Amino acid sequence: MLFSFCYFLQSFCLAQSNAPQLGKDPIKKVIAAMTLEEKAKLLVGAGRGFGPPPPAAAPGKKDSANKASAPPPAAPAGPMIGRTESKVPGAAGNTYAIPRLGIPSIVVSDGPAGLRISPIRKGDSSKTYYATAFPVGTLLASSWDVDLVKQVGVAFGYEVHEYGVDVLLGPGMNIHRNPLGGRNFEYYSEDPLVTGKMAAAIVNGIQSNGVGTSIKHYVANNQETHRNTVNTIVSERAMREIYLRGFEIAVKESQPWTVMTSYNKLNGTYTSERNDLVTTILRNEWGFKGFVMTDWGGGRDPVAQMNAGNDLIMPGNPNQVKVIIDAVNAKQLDAKVLDKNVERMLNIIVQSPSFKNYKYSDAPDLKKDAAVSRMAASEGMVLLKNNGAALPFNAVKKVALFGNTSYDIIAGGTGSGDVNKAYTVSLLQGLQNAGLQVTDPLAKSYPAYIADAKAKRPKGRGMFQAPPPIPEMDIAKADIDQQANDADVAVITLGRNAGEGADRKLENDYYLSSAEKDLLKNVSDAFHAKGKKVVVVLNIGGVIEVSSWRDGVDAILLAWQPGLEAGNAITDVLSGKVNASGKLATTFPVDYKDVPSAKNFPGKEFLDQATGEGFRKQVPAEVTYEDGIYVGYRYYNTFKVEPAYEFGYGLSYTTFNYSNLKLSAAAFKGKIEVTVTVTNSGKVAGKEVAQLYLSAPASKMDKPTIELKGFAKTHLLQPGESQTLSFEITPKDLSSYDTQNEAWVAESGNYKASIGASSKDIKQTATFTLAKQLVVEKDNKALTPQMEITEMKK
Ligand code: BGC
């Protein structure tokens, strides 16, 4: 009674009661004053059915920026809506407030490419609440520039702070195991070092604003097919070296406030229910200090989640609270476990802007951040091909602009990784903004064609599915010939979109559609007949097939999904205002069948065991990672499978020389410094990404021929200018995970350090020795698969 009375008269009651207060009294004392019900409610998000006053939107009403998620059995009905209407409409969720103890609700919101909130608010026509769409994760990683990515994080976190959000639900950092992964655009790379360094950089940037992040999805969530049921079967070694390693780097180098567990099972158990994953590895081995939350509706058993150390269940429902309370009362769950979970949450809540009562402006300077977005976008685009100096535009005044997405560009993918942005600059606008002329009738017929196709497109696919792509417009050959007469150059944009809830398809997605192939051929024939160049811009979130058509065009710029300034940023690179300096952080194979995981992606489904109907249908599924540690270039390089464009590859408008590779010692003792000089040997200013690969002796363990151990990007080097880059090789860099001994072990013998402009274009090498085997780190037995996995071996 006193409790509910106090709920509405907080300040009166605070003065009356002597309850300890968060921030003033020791956290342990605050916990001691909490009822079991309060603890359980704090540990379950305020998602549905209860939460801090005032009440949420009417049941079943969905905010445009919110969404439904696959429901766990405990929360069978209706969409899960963050009860954040009173503070930040459109945020993904919030936690339960306990005013009598001074514990505020904190607001958490998506997503990796920009803050995802509702731009329009009910009863508020005075202003809008748009956020900046930054380039997607895959583009940021292709910059190989951690300072730049941190700078993006600083801008990003500023919007999080100014819109009243406490924790940003990102970055996404799952490994690109397979090009068809529907959320690859949100993630960074096929390589764990690039992934970990990028995540750490953006987390440090975002958190420098006094807000938190949630690195996700922990872990082995590399597909969307049956994401809520799939049992991912992976060896301990592949887990340690590939799938966990990026998270380990991010935790150690940036201490994110929170970690989000994934939807999938890992070796038989939901990740949020695995104590070895969430407590032994994350906290005990890596030293993670924050709290862990589930993905939205992730996992099944709240008691197992509490025991695992997955402190917060999101978005939360009253059944989960009841299950926790009942389990404690029935002595099936130790109350001390809850105290620990609560303590970890309060340790973060006390740092939050909500706790500090930060007076957010709801009016961040979006113009300033758009400039950051544009700059970052141009730094992460990758020049894949540039024959006959087709780029940058030289004496180009008139552009014949083909392809739907030239006019309807894709800033980022769909689902929770999407951002409600005020605008997206199309390539048409970008070219025009730079003073270039786009020829008619294309400049008029494409927008009309797209508007018409969109009006006819089936509605109601929801946020979980990318809208069906609009087929390429059929343009008569005579009209293309006319364009070849009128314009100086042809630019053709090919676009792809995907997002959470589904993986990509091979037909008309990974492979080009026949309309796209016809367009490429007809335009190339017509323009080449007039001695004019054809440039392809790839506006994609994940890898596509390129080998069958690339020979027919002169240049290919991989623009990825570049955020809201897309057209301006692409034009910056096409025009040469910015020299291309991005490199691939993920391989472009010659064909899908070359992908090491092609045979087991997305795994098996057991339709005969399906439960539920329609939206609630759950199909048990299983995927076995037989590719083991051979993900991406580790496979292509070791098994000598030629890719179309290899990991680390990217051209520039200038050229670079590498010289003077030096190691600080010929024998490894504790560490080795590597230095190399990079010189701009061309005619225009540019930046180069140098990569350090290591080849280790493999007399006891199977090892990839090379593995990335460091990377560095030069500053903008003027023609003739040099810069010396340095790298450090640590004991862990020499080692591999020895499953038998649960340890990182470096074998004795000869090591080769290679400095490459890509994983294949090695410029300089040097060797050193390790006299005696090193046990670099002893870990715990964890994540053991329940079955034998037939893994790929060299
Ligand atoms: C996604 C998460 C996201 C969460 C909240 C889930 O469906 O997998 O990445 O943060 O929803 O919107």
Side-chain angles (χ1 to χ4, degrees):
M1 184 58 205
L2 175 72
F3 177 68
S4 52
F5 178 64
C6 287
Y7 215 91
F8 295 103
L9 282 174
Q10 291 172 36
S11 47
F12 169 77
C13 284
L14 289 183
Q16 294 301 303
S17 79
N18 288 325
Q21 295 298 299
L22 183 65
K24 295 200 182 74
D25 296 292
I27 283 181
K28 291 228 159 39
K29 214 169 150 192
V30 177
I31 299 171
M34 289 171 83
T35 64
L36 173 59
E37 186 183 349
E38 284 171 336
K39 288 176 192 170
K41 284 185 170 174
L42 182 70
L43 298 171
V44 175
R48 292 181 70 229
F50 64 92
K61 269 238 171 119
K62 232 158 78 89
D63 181 276
S64 68
N66 260 316
K67 56 155 197 260
S69 172
M80 293 183 185
I81 299 171
R83 291 179 63 97
T84 57
E85 298 305 299
S86 59
K87 191 173 177 190
V88 190
N94 65 312
T95 62
Y96 185 76
I98 309 172
R100 75 176 188 96
L101 301 171
I103 302 173
S105 163
I106 60 169
V107 179
V108 303
S109 193
D110 286 306
L115 183 65
R116 180 179 168 77
I117 58 172
S118 290
I120 313 286
R121 296 186 180 175
K122 269 180 245 137
D124 178 359
S125 52
S126 63
K127 64 190 291 261
T128 53
Y129 300 79
Y130 288 105
T132 302
F134 294 99
V136 298
T138 308
L139 182 148
L140 292 180
S142 309
S143 76
W144 297 69
D145 186 340
V146 287
D147 296 332
L148 173 91
V149 175
K150 182 172 178 195
Q151 203 184 329
V152 170
V154 171
F156 192 162
Y158 153 74
E159 291 184 26
V160 174
H161 200 213
E162 287 312 313
Y163 274 132
V165 171
D166 297 285
V167 174
L168 187 273
L169 302 174
M173 49 181 304
N174 296 98
I175 292 289
H176 293 165
R177 173 173 176 254
N178 185 289
L180 302 185
R183 297 183 81 170
N184 280 0
F185 72 96
E186 295 184 56
Y187 308 145
Y188 295 115
S189 170
E190 67 190 22
D191 176 79
L193 178 72
V194 176
T195 298
K197 292 284 178 187
M198 292 298 150
I202 206 154
V203 168
N204 281 323
I206 294 171
Q207 293 193 167
S208 69
N209 292 276
V211 295
T213 54
S214 194
I215 60 173
K216 68 188 188 185
H217 309 88
Y218 187 63
V219 61
N221 181 185
N222 310 95
Q223 67 183 55
E224 289 300 287
T225 307
H226 300 310
R227 65 177 183 167
N228 292 84
T229 54
V230 69
N231 179 22
T232 306
I233 301 169
V234 202
S235 73
E236 286 137 282
R237 178 167 178 200
M239 282 306 301
R240 294 281 183 172
E241 292 186 14
I242 307 291
Y243 299 101
L244 289 170
R245 185 76 180 120
F247 283 94
E248 176 183 1
I249 294 169
V251 165
K252 290 181 174 167
E253 297 185 8
S254 66
Q255 270 303 336
W257 285 16
T258 80
V259 170
M260 187 192 293
T261 46
S262 55
Y263 280 131
N264 54 289
K265 287 179 190 164
L266 172 60
N267 292 334
T269 308
Y270 280 108
T271 54
S272 57
E273 299 172 11
R274 289 202 77 113
N275 187 278
D276 55 358
L277 181 69
V278 176
T279 296
T280 311
I281 294 179
L282 180 65
R283 294 196 164 98
N284 302 350
E285 291 183 7
W286 301 347
F288 173 64
K289 304 260 183 306
F291 72 79
V292 175
M293 69 175 89
T294 63
D295 198 346
W296 269 229
R300 291 295 177 268
D301 179 355
V303 175
Q305 289 171 328
M306 291 299 116
N307 276 324
N310 189 115
D311 312 297
L312 176 63
I313 301 177
M314 288 305 278
N317 70 61
N319 288 347
Q320 292 160 328
V321 174
K322 185 172 177 316
V323 169
I324 291 174
I325 293 173
D326 290 351
V328 174
N329 288 334
K331 306 239 175 316
Q332 283 155 357
L333 173 60
D334 191 339
K336 288 205 200 83
V337 168
L338 289 199
D339 288 353
K340 261 268 138 256
N341 301 128
V342 168
E343 183 179 347
R344 289 192 288 248
M345 281 193 58
L346 293 182
N347 277 332
I348 293 296
I349 292 175
V350 79
Q351 301 172 47
S352 68
S354 285
F355 177 80
K356 293 178 180 160
N357 219 355
Y358 177 67
K359 298 279 174 286
Y360 51 96
S361 63
D362 262 338
D365 182 350
L366 297 178
K367 232 176 146 180
K368 192 181 78 192
D369 289 354
V372 175
S373 184
R374 174 176 179 168
M375 185 268 296
S378 64
E379 295 281 320
M381 291 181 189
V382 186
L383 186 61
L384 294 177
K385 175 170 183 177
N386 195 16
N387 273 19
L391 290 174
F393 288 161
N394 181 16
V396 166
K397 294 201 173 62
K398 285 190 200 166
V399 179
L401 189 59
F402 297 91
N404 294 331
T405 43
S406 292
Y407 299 85
D408 189 23
I409 208 147
I410 301 164
T414 59
S416 60
D418 195 7
V419 184
N420 294 306
K421 55 223 163 270
Y423 62 87
T424 303
V425 178
S426 69
L427 185 51
L428 170 71
Q429 291 163 330
L431 293 169
Q432 288 172 337
N433 291 344
L436 290 156
Q437 200 187 322
V438 176
T439 48
D440 281 332
L442 298 181
K444 299 213 171 58
S445 53
Y446 265 108
Y449 169 77
I450 292 165
D452 183 57
K454 280 190 174 171
K456 292 184 186 141
R457 187 152 68 175
K459 298 247 165 357
R461 292 169 61 93
M463 72 161 283
F464 269 116
Q465 269 163 326
I470 297 168
E472 283 302 336
M473 187 164 78
D474 193 16
I475 312 173
K477 283 197 181 155
D479 293 336
I480 297 179
D481 282 340
Q482 188 59 46
Q483 290 295 318
N485 276 330
D486 293 354
D488 304 316
V489 68
V491 172
I492 309 170
T493 305
L494 300 177
R496 290 291 182 275
N497 208 351
E500 92 173 276
D503 289 311
R504 293 172 54 210
K505 301 180 280 86
L506 285 172
E507 294 313 313
N508 299 330
D509 189 346
Y510 181 77
Y511 295 109
L512 301 197
S513 68
S514 48
E516 286 171 328
K517 284 187 198 151
D518 290 348
L519 180 69
L520 287 175
K521 175 152 191 341
N522 295 342
V523 171
S524 300
D525 287 350
F527 277 73
H528 289 160
K530 298 261 151 51
K532 293 177 183 174
K533 307 271 194 225
V534 177
V535 175
V536 171
V537 172
L538 297 179
N539 176 207
I540 59 183
V543 169
I544 63 168
E545 189 272 327
V546 292
S547 334
S548 69
W549 56 268
R550 62 178 168 178
D551 291 347
V553 302
D554 302 286
I556 306 173
L557 177 66
L558 172 56
W560 294 118
Q561 293 169 340
L564 85 178
E565 287 284 323
N568 287 333
I570 295 171
T571 305
D572 287 342
V573 180
L574 294 178
S575 68
K577 186 174 161 198
V578 174
N579 190 349
S581 67
K583 294 198 178 189
L584 294 179
T586 206
T587 306
F588 274 59
V590 167
D591 195 14
Y592 181 73
K593 68 172 170 12
D594 298 339
V595 173
S597 57
K599 283 196 203 71
N600 29 60
F601 180 95
K604 296 182 235 160
E605 55 179 18
F606 305 102
L607 281 168
D608 53 325
Q609 295 166 37
T611 56
E613 294 288 327
F615 174 65
R616 287 199 266 158
K617 186 165 179 182
Q618 303 269 313
V619 181
E622 179 182 289
V623 58
T624 308
Y625 286 14
E626 289 179 352
D627 37 330
I629 55 167
Y630 290 107
V631 176
Y633 70 89
R634 284 172 168 77
Y635 169 78
Y636 297 104
N637 211 289
T638 309
F639 290 80
K640 303 202 169 25
V641 177
E642 198 61 25
Y645 294 115
E646 75 272 14
F647 177 82
Y649 170 87
L651 300 173
S652 164
Y653 298 144
T654 186
T655 51
F656 299 95
N657 266 342
Y658 285 70
S659 60
N660 218 10
L661 171 63
K662 279 199 195 117
L663 304 188
S664 60
F668 189 86
K669 286 193 199 75
K671 66 172 185 198
I672 280 187
E673 302 284 348
V674 181
T675 51
V676 69
T677 302
V678 177
T679 305
N680 182 347
S681 50
K683 296 204 169 55
V684 293
K687 297 179 185 175
E688 170 71 335
V689 176
Q691 301 146 41
L692 168 69
Y693 295 93
L694 215 59
S695 308
S699 48
K700 293 187 188 136
M701 269 195 260
D702 188 41
K703 286 189 195 182
T705 44
I706 57 163
E707 287 186 286
L708 184 77
K709 298 298 172 182
F711 57 88
K713 194 165 186 171
T714 66
H715 59 246
L716 187 71
L717 293 176
Q718 296 304 320
E721 192 186 346
S722 299
Q723 186 181 349
T724 297
L725 301 173
S726 54
F727 310 83
E728 191 183 274
I729 301 176
T730 66
K732 194 150 178 176
D733 291 331
L734 307 188
S735 66
S736 300
Y737 191 75
D738 171 0
T739 310
Q740 239 77 61
N741 297 301
E742 292 117 31
W744 290 83
V745 178
E747 289 184 30
S748 61
N750 294 326
Y751 286 76
K752 184 165 81 184
S754 304
I755 294 288
S758 81
S759 56
K760 272 176 56 194
D761 186 9
I762 302 302
K763 301 290 191 185
Q764 301 236 297
T765 60
T767 54
F768 62 91
T769 56
L770 178 68
K772 265 189 24 217
Q773 169 181 296
L774 272 183
V775 177
V776 177
E777 185 184 301
K778 185 87 182 95
D779 289 337
N780 296 284
K781 181 97 195 135
L783 314 179
T784 313
Q786 328 99 291
M787 58 182 77
E788 190 74 23
I789 305 171
T790 322
E791 275 188 321
M792 208 176 259
K793 288 223 162 46
K794 189 157 62 183

